[in-house]
Amino acid sequence: MPNNLPIGMFDSGVGGLTVLKAVRQLMPCENILYLGDTARLPYGSKSARTVSQYAVQCAAELVRRDIKLLVVACNTASAVALDSLRAAYPDLPVIGVVEPGAEAACAASSNGHIAVIATESTIAGGAYQRAIHARLPGASITGHPCPLFVPLAEEGWTEGPIAEAIAARYLDPIFNPASGTGSDEPPDVLVLGCTHFPLLAPAIKHVAAPGTAIVDSAATTARAVRQVLADRNLVRSNGCGSSVYLTTDDVPRFARTGTRFLGTPIAEADVELVDL
Ligand code: DGL
């Protein structure tokens, strides 16, 4: 397989660009083909069956265009569809974001109390809980859906009183057990188990107990990608890597909101509208 082929990545929308950003920082020479299924976002409130169908369609579009590795840059899709995708493409390395996120959480925790915040579907499926327990069998894990963080991040309301009030409503039961359902000792790690949540890190930090390690999977996923490419002799080590974007809805909106998630401008000319 030629190492010039792009890394394929998909997400329900622009959130996975936080993963692309980390991959780009670590591997500037790699070509990347990113698909955001914005027409069907959010995945996080849909059933595992529906998300799996969408994930298989996204992967098929990327595979059709020739990729050397697939990154499922969406927590919800990683949580429910990773096994189906690996079974569908046995010769293609497929990397999700849940395992690297669990890895980073376990490495950061001293007291073994880990809280995970994510979409409804990711929490309900228990993928993070299983991945953390596989590494840290004695861990005490609490999972909390925080669905309103997704539109807040898309709207750009990531700091200030509104974001902080919503963060407090979601996180108080975790960090202030007397007012809710948390365990006796507060967690020392909070996993941002959704691609959108890193944008809200300032508001989340404002509410989380001081000293809590905030973990997201973007950087660990990027390291996992680099490792797999190196193991398979697929690293592209010269030239400036290109990023090409596919979206299933509204190119200008993808470019506009995507720019905020990526932190660098996305030109509309680099975005192609696709039907899956
Ligand atoms: N990308 C999704 C995730 O990481 C969040 C947005 C959605 O619900 O589709 O879970």
Side-chain angles (χ1 to χ4, degrees):
M1 194 187 288
N3 58 6
N4 273 343
L5 286 182
I7 296 169
M9 306 177 68
F10 78 86
D11 176 46
S12 55
V14 290
L17 293 169
T18 56
V19 181
L20 190 157
K21 185 178 175 182
V23 169
R24 173 60 68 228
Q25 271 165 2
L26 203 60
M27 290 161 276
C29 302
E30 295 294 345
N31 295 320
I32 299 176
L33 177 62
Y34 179 95
L35 167 60
D37 189 9
T38 46
R40 302 189 291 196
L41 177 125
Y43 283 8
S45 55
K46 297 189 171 72
S47 69
R49 181 175 170 276
T50 298
V51 173
S52 290
Q53 283 172 355
Y54 291 173
V56 166
Q57 289 169 350
C58 289
E61 179 64 27
L62 293 170
V63 168
R64 195 177 68 73
R65 290 170 185 252
D66 271 348
I67 53 173
K68 61 181 176 181
L69 179 146
L70 177 66
V71 180
V72 183
C74 172
N75 288 263
T76 308
S78 297
V80 304
L82 206 61
D83 292 343
S84 322
L85 293 173
R86 286 185 171 145
Y89 303 105
D91 297 329
L92 183 72
V94 179
I95 296 178
V97 289
V98 170
E99 299 278 329
E103 188 81 45
C106 294
S109 181
S110 309
N111 70 8
H113 290 203
I114 297 173
V116 181
I117 55 172
T119 64
E120 274 177 78
S121 178
T122 300
I123 296 298
Y128 266 103
Q129 293 89 322
R130 284 192 297 280
I132 292 169
H133 268 144
R135 290 164 176 78
L136 208 59
S140 155
I141 307 161
T142 49
H144 301 261
C146 301
L148 280 182
F149 283 168
V150 171
L152 270 186
E154 298 236 334
E155 200 60 31
W157 293 8
T158 53
E159 292 182 64
I162 296 173
E164 282 165 19
I166 294 173
R169 179 74 182 261
Y170 281 140
L171 302 185
D172 270 353
I174 306 175
F175 292 103
N176 182 12
S179 68
T181 55
S183 61
D184 291 338
E185 195 184 345
D188 64 350
V189 171
L190 178 66
V191 181
L192 308 185
C194 173
T195 51
H196 284 59
F197 295 3
L199 272 78
L200 286 141
I204 290 170
K205 279 185 189 142
H206 193 82
V207 173
T212 307
I214 311 283
V215 161
D216 80 73
S217 49
T220 13
T221 300
R223 287 200 288 277
V225 169
R226 186 174 59 179
Q227 188 60 52
V228 171
L229 291 179
D231 291 347
R232 299 191 176 215
N233 222 6
L234 288 173
V235 174
R236 183 172 193 257
S237 47
N238 45 35
C240 184
S242 66
S243 298
V244 173
Y245 305 95
L246 311 175
T247 183
T248 52
D249 190 38
D250 199 338
V251 167
R253 188 172 203 281
F254 180 94
R256 199 172 59 246
T257 54
T259 292
R260 202 163 50 241
F261 279 71
L262 191 60
T264 50
I266 296 177
E268 286 181 28
D270 291 332
V271 187
E272 183 189 335
L273 184 65
V274 291
D275 283 324
L276 299 182

